[in-house]
């Protein structure tokens, strides 16, 4: 038996996977338009051991780029970089209000609402949104509350200008959050809000979601966005298209299975030629979740077959082990992850696997950042489909 002692800056296994998948279901509405292109690079946060040394897990962190506030011209192309800092949570920078105030947010395909922390919600963090300093801010006096896999937040809805680079949306409805005490590890997190990129149907707001508003505004070249998550290197989010420099194969297109989340019909899961699972028929592609996550019974079966041990709620194997590929089969194709893809941290001779057991009341798998680092994902808002391609390795972001 191996004994391992380490601590995560995120206080629980649920937050270790940083699930920002909202627990809500409704109906879907979308719209289509055409216009420009925007790139956003991504950052990641690290997991630390008790000795304080960074071990390189995953996080979605705020972009380092300076985001302008000038109106976007239709049919033009513009890039906005996001950084990727240490593979645990990917986040980027937006501007809110007039004049624009920079705020770092997680770009989350598992939820649909935008919220940013105010001074109370920031709890001492230096970066937050001050509505009183914005000449275009309007409070709606409507309460906001949302539950994520990592905890709850609450506040009030408001309207103001929101900009991502040159893409500008006046009078966008979002939430100004004053209570973030329910978020595990909030104090040590690098972000100050969450920008949901899911469909309108699961939004708490009665107004348009940010992506719906962007599409309707005609600012995007195409009603799509594409995620590239670098492995210990910067990542990139592109609004209005994809970045061919980070795509290494043709796209496999799969229709959205439900008019709610970015979900696909799951045919089966295979662990090499040893084990096949087919009980769960849906998988959600979620940029706001660090790990792979699935029903406990299935995850336990997979991990038992690999010989993994559970240590402090995490699945651990010897780094000398040779694990078969773990493959998710959907859209008529197999999307395989090797042991190298699955390992999120090494401690001595032990390797921590980026997989988590969950129980959220319905059978589904969540394909988080562990999956999205291997595969570039194109989210086609207009046609309600997902495109999957091998991600090109290396860091050639400008």
């Amino acid at each position: 038996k191996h004994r391992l002692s380490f601590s995560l800056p995120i206080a629980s296994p649920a937050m270790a996977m940083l699930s920002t998948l909202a627990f809500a279901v409704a109906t879907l509405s979308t719209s289509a338009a055409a216009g420009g292109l925007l790139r956003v690079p991504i950052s990641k946060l690290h997991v630390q051991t008790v000795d304080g040394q960074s071990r390189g897990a995953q996080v979605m962190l705020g972009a380092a780029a300076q985001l302008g506030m000038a109106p976007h011209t239709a049919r033009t192309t513009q890039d906005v970089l996001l950084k990727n800092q240490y593979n645990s949570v990917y986040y980027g920078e937006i501007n809110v209000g007039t004049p624009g105030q920079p705020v770092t947010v997680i770009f989350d395909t598992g939820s649909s609402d935008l919220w940013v922390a105010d001074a109370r919600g920031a709890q001492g963090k230096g970066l937050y949104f001050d509505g009183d300093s914005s000449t275009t801010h309007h409070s709606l006096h409507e309460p906001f509350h949302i539950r994520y896999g990592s905890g709850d937040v609450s506040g009030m809805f408001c309207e103001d200008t929101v900009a991502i680079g040159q893409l500008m949306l006046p009078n966008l409805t979002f939430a100004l959050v004053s209570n973030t005490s329910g978020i595990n590890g909030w104090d040590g997190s690098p972000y100050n809000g969450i920008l949901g990129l899911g469909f309108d149907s699961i939004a708490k707001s009665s107004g348009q979601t940010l992506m719906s508003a962007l599409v309707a505004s005609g600012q995007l070249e195409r009603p799509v966005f594409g995620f590239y998550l670098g492995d210990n290197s910067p990542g990139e989010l592109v609004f209005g298209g994809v970045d061919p420099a980070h795509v290494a194969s043709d796209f496999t297109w799969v229709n959205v299975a439900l008019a709610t989340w970015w979900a696909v019909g799951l045919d089966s899961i295979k662990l090499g030629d040893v084990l096949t699972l087919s009980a769960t028929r849906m998988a959600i592609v979620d940029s706001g979740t660090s790990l792979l996550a699935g029903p406990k019974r299935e995850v336990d079966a997979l991990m038992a077959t690999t010989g993994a041990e559970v240590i402090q709620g995490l699945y651990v194997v010897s780094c000398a082990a040779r694990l078969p590929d773990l493959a998710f089969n959907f859209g008529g194709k197999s999307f395989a992850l090797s042991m190298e893809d699955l390992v999120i941290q090494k401690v001595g001779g032990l390797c921590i696997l980026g997989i988590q057991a969950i129980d959220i009341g319905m059978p589904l798998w969540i394909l988080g950042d562990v999956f999205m680092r291997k595969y570039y994902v194109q989210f086609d808002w207009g046609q309600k489909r997902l495109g999957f391609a091998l991600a090109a390795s290396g860091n050639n972001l400008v």
Side-chain angles (χ1 to χ4, degrees):
K1 297 286 186 180
H2 297 288
R3 293 188 179 276
L4 180 65
S5 177
F6 59 93
S7 63
L8 299 173
I10 315 155
S12 70
M15 189 58 182
M17 75 178 188
L18 290 180
S19 175
T20 53
L21 181 65
F23 298 106
V25 181
T27 58
L28 171 69
S29 65
T30 61
S31 58
L37 178 74
L38 177 68
R39 290 195 181 107
V40 194
I42 302 174
S43 304
K44 45 188 180 178
L45 191 64
H46 64 285
V47 171
Q48 291 185 327
T49 58
V50 290
D51 62 3
Q53 296 299 309
S54 172
R55 302 298 187 185
Q58 310 192 114
V59 178
M60 184 175 187
L61 305 182
Q66 296 290 330
L67 306 185
M69 294 295 292
H72 181 79
T73 304
R75 297 286 181 183
T76 63
T77 299
Q78 180 180 344
D79 300 344
V80 179
L81 289 178
L82 305 175
K83 294 181 181 176
N84 180 15
Q85 185 183 356
Y86 302 117
N87 283 9
S88 268
V89 172
Y90 291 82
Y91 65 89
E93 188 175 279
I94 64 174
N95 278 277
V96 183
T98 306
Q101 300 175 38
V103 179
T104 54
V105 296
I106 292 177
F107 290 87
D108 176 29
T109 61
S111 64
S112 298
D113 290 279
L114 167 62
W115 64 263
V116 297
D118 63 12
R120 285 179 57 198
Q123 297 186 32
K125 293 183 181 182
L127 206 58
Y128 59 86
F129 176 64
D130 179 10
D132 291 337
S133 297
S134 172
T135 61
T136 49
H137 185 74
H138 303 285
S139 177
L140 297 179
H141 304 291
E142 296 175 11
F144 167 78
H145 175 266
I146 192 168
R147 171 182 293 180
Y148 300 101
S150 52
D152 298 8
V153 299
S154 60
M156 301 293 290
F157 280 111
C158 62
E159 289 181 350
D160 211 329
T161 297
V162 175
I164 308 174
Q166 300 297 316
L167 301 176
M168 182 179 290
L169 294 170
N171 302 317
L172 184 73
T173 300
F174 62 94
L176 190 56
V177 164
S178 56
N179 185 358
T180 54
S181 60
I183 293 287
N184 295 327
W186 172 260
D187 291 348
S189 66
Y191 61 93
N192 296 86
I194 292 177
L195 195 162
L197 292 169
F199 294 112
D200 293 19
S201 58
I202 58 172
K204 301 293 184 181
S205 168
S206 58
Q208 285 184 308
T209 62
L210 182 136
M211 187 61 190
S212 182
L214 276 179
V215 171
S217 73
Q219 296 181 69
L220 300 180
E221 183 175 300
R222 292 190 292 134
V224 304
F225 56 92
F227 266 101
Y228 165 74
L229 302 186
D231 187 6
N232 293 309
S233 64
E236 184 182 59
L237 170 60
V238 180
F239 286 97
V242 300
D243 186 348
H246 293 301
V247 179
S249 70
D250 292 335
F251 281 97
T252 295
W253 290 101
V254 185
N255 290 332
V256 170
L258 287 175
T260 51
W261 298 293
W262 289 102
V264 295
L266 185 61
D267 298 324
S268 64
I269 302 169
K270 290 189 175 183
L271 185 65
D273 296 325
V274 181
L275 179 65
T276 300
L277 303 173
S278 57
T280 299
R281 310 299 290 182
M282 185 172 69
I284 294 172
V285 183
D286 183 10
S287 63
T289 296
S290 296
L291 311 182
L292 301 173
K296 187 177 188 304
R297 184 175 179 179
E298 296 180 33
V299 172
D300 285 348
L302 289 167
M303 294 297 96
T305 305
T306 67
E309 296 183 47
V310 180
I311 302 177
Q312 297 186 18
L314 302 173
Y315 293 97
V316 179
V317 297
S318 167
C319 293
R322 291 179 172 241
L323 302 188
D325 288 354
L326 177 63
F328 294 86
N329 300 311
F330 52 84
K333 188 172 179 179
S334 178
F335 297 88
L337 299 169
S338 67
M339 178 175 173
E340 182 181 1
D341 300 323
L342 291 172
V343 172
I344 60 168
Q345 184 175 351
K346 295 181 180 180
V347 182
L350 297 179
C351 284
I352 302 170
L353 302 179
I355 189 167
Q356 179 78 37
I358 57 170
D359 182 9
I360 59 174
M362 61 187 299
L364 59 83
W365 276 84
I366 298 174
L367 305 181
D369 298 345
V370 167
F371 180 88
M372 292 178 67
R373 271 194 299 280
K374 178 71 173 286
Y375 297 99
Y376 191 109
V377 185
Q378 183 175 175
F379 296 78
D380 190 333
W381 183 277
Q383 298 190 56
K384 300 190 186 75
R385 61 179 186 168
L386 287 157
F388 300 89
L390 278 172
S393 59
N395 176 20
N396 56 355
L397 293 175
V398 177

